[in-house]
Amino acid sequence: MYAAFRSIGAYIPTKILTNADLEVMVDTTDEWITKRTGIKERRIAAKDETTSDMGMKAAEIAIQRSGLKKSQIDMLICATISPDYFCMPSTATIIATKLGLEKVTAFDVSAACTGFVYALSIAKAFIESGMKKNVLIIGAEKLSAITDYTDRGTCILFGDGAGAAVISATEDKKQAIIDIHTGSDGSFADLLMTPNGGSGSAHDELDREKASCFMKMKGNETFKVAVRTLTNDVVSILKENNIQSSEIKHFVPHQANYRIIKAVGDALALQDEQVVLTVEKYGNTSGASIPMAINDIYESGRLQEGDLMLLDAFGGGLTWGSALVPFAGIAHH
Ligand code: ACO
């Protein structure tokens, strides 16, 4: 049994936060943000809109496009670092209930911006082992809830949104997800973290009172490790699978920074039309960024059945991952 990437869906919040808006909030300029990151605007969820609300909406579309009935989904994984609730319940269980999926196996994955690739690898393993048949994977983030809008080093980067995909069992090897790499190195944990609010920080009442979940990042150091790690990882996954970069129809990187994407794309000698870019309009939506980007090319008609995608992600942990994924399209019964 193989695992096939059947369908994609996304939810894009309507509210737009532009670079001009940020110029009023912190000491920055549109020119600086554009030049250093490639970001022009990002989406912000409504005040009462949760990560699970957005994940549920993306999932509804992915399920509908998969041609499957909801009752056929037997596992739901949500990749997020901005869950509805700290610790419990998981955002995945809330989404499952909102979707009306009864008694489904549901859990969250915490791997920051690499979360969707981690979730994809878990889905693949469960399907190939025969334990599950149709796995719904979701990347959903309300990063605005954990962003410090007085910190110009981070608040210019992040946005909200959700993406979802249905991964299904198939006997057709042509449709099979070819390979997935995942890795981590906790010795770089301090580069990108939410230092407060967990058991690592809340040692007394004072700490607990101060606790906030705002992200802190050493941007420049993270940038350098990101370029090195991502490049090594995509080069090795292609080599191990004997695939040339010219065979990649869509390179779908995590949308953190245009300069990181460009550096990795250049290392693989990719043409511009192979590289999927949404960073300009959505910013960095962590675990949601890859499925939102795949949805973008799906809805614009660029993604066709059989197209080979190379996914590539990097994020807090540090974590990283890449995947070689043919787009299988709707199940033909
Ligand atoms: N506007 C204007 N100036 C700024 C801003 C801003 N928004 N932010 C920082 N600066 C200043 C700095 O203070 C610094 O000034 P100084 O030279 O006087 O000290 C100068 O700009 C350069 O700062 P750097 O941090 O060196 O800028 P850099 O070119 O590295 O860009 C950025 C910063 C955009 C954050 C970049 O480092 C980056 O994208 N890093 C990687 C982010 C990433 O990939 N994260 C992983 C995924 S995210 C996740 O997992 C949730």
Side-chain angles (χ1 to χ4, degrees):
M1 201 50 83
Y2 302 108
F5 193 107
R6 260 222 191 287
S7 67
I8 189 75
Y11 171 74
I12 319 291
T14 48
K15 186 178 166 197
I16 295 174
L17 181 69
T18 65
N19 290 352
D21 296 330
L22 286 162
E23 282 179 350
V24 181
M25 297 160 69
V26 289
D27 181 14
T28 191
T29 59
D30 170 45
E31 194 199 346
W32 192 96
I33 301 172
T34 307
K35 203 166 140 220
R36 302 286 181 125
T37 71
I39 302 169
K40 283 295 209 184
E41 54 189 46
R42 57 299 281 142
R43 300 299 177 111
I44 303 295
K47 217 170 180 178
D48 60 352
E49 195 168 40
T50 61
T51 296
S52 67
D53 290 333
M54 295 188 280
M56 181 267 287
K57 286 177 183 162
E60 286 276 9
I61 298 168
I63 296 170
Q64 187 251 319
R65 287 178 182 161
S66 73
L68 297 172
K69 293 194 226 36
K70 276 187 183 169
S71 56
Q72 291 175 277
I73 303 292
D74 49 13
M75 184 153 97
L76 187 163
I77 310 172
C78 180
T80 187
I81 51 164
S82 46
D84 284 17
Y85 301 104
F86 180 46
C87 299
M88 62 182 170
S90 72
T91 303
T93 58
I94 300 170
I95 295 174
T97 297
K98 286 181 177 172
L99 287 170
L101 303 181
E102 285 170 23
K103 301 193 172 75
V104 70
T105 305
F107 57 94
D108 288 356
V109 164
S110 172
C113 305
T114 319
F116 187 79
V117 177
Y118 267 68
L120 184 64
S121 74
I122 299 166
K124 178 176 183 285
F126 267 89
I127 289 169
E128 288 176 352
S129 70
M131 283 178 73
K132 299 290 177 190
K133 285 199 165 50
N134 298 298
V135 183
L136 175 63
I137 59 171
I138 300 166
E141 301 284 10
K142 187 173 181 175
L143 295 183
S144 60
I146 60 167
T147 296
D148 178 356
Y149 284 98
T150 65
D151 173 15
R152 68 176 182 174
T154 53
C155 74
I156 55 147
L157 300 170
F158 300 112
D160 301 335
V166 174
I167 314 303
S168 292
T170 180
E171 287 173 1
D172 183 353
K173 196 169 181 198
K174 285 197 305 298
Q175 296 193 340
I177 295 172
I178 297 168
D179 196 8
I180 307 182
H181 278 186
T182 48
S184 75
D185 186 346
S187 68
F188 288 111
D190 67 324
L191 289 191
L192 185 51
M193 67 191 313
T194 52
N196 297 321
S199 66
S201 68
H203 304 302
D204 56 37
E205 285 308 315
L206 189 69
D207 274 350
R208 266 196 288 275
E209 268 171 36
K210 278 197 303 192
S212 77
C213 281
F214 288 157
M215 285 180 281
K216 301 260 182 277
M217 182 171 71
K218 294 178 183 166
N220 195 268
E221 287 168 62
T222 308
F223 186 98
K224 286 174 199 155
V225 189
V227 172
R228 193 171 65 235
T229 310
L230 285 170
T231 306
N232 291 344
D233 202 41
V234 285
V235 167
S236 70
I237 200 170
L238 289 179
K239 197 167 164 214
E240 283 164 26
N241 292 283
N242 206 14
I243 289 173
Q244 306 299 315
S245 61
S246 57
E247 295 172 61
I248 304 298
K249 184 82 181 171
H250 309 286
F251 173 53
V252 192
H254 167 50
Q255 307 283 319
N257 185 319
Y258 174 71
R259 285 154 57 214
I260 299 176
I261 297 171
K262 178 86 176 106
V264 179
D266 286 351
L268 291 180
L270 293 173
Q271 306 297 310
D272 285 351
E273 61 269 21
Q274 290 172 282
V275 181
V276 178
L277 283 173
T278 58
V279 66
E280 183 180 351
K281 53 183 180 176
Y282 303 147
N284 179 347
T285 58
S286 193
S289 103
I290 288 180
M292 284 168 74
I294 297 172
N295 186 69
D296 230 62
I297 51 171
Y298 180 82
E299 291 195 349
S300 66
R302 275 171 71 193
L303 181 62
Q304 301 290 324
E305 225 171 279
D307 283 359
L308 181 58
M309 299 185 283
L310 171 61
L311 316 184
D312 189 22
F314 179 88
L318 295 176
T319 56
W320 59 86
S322 55
L324 282 164
V325 183
F327 182 63
I330 197 162
H332 299 288
H333 298 290

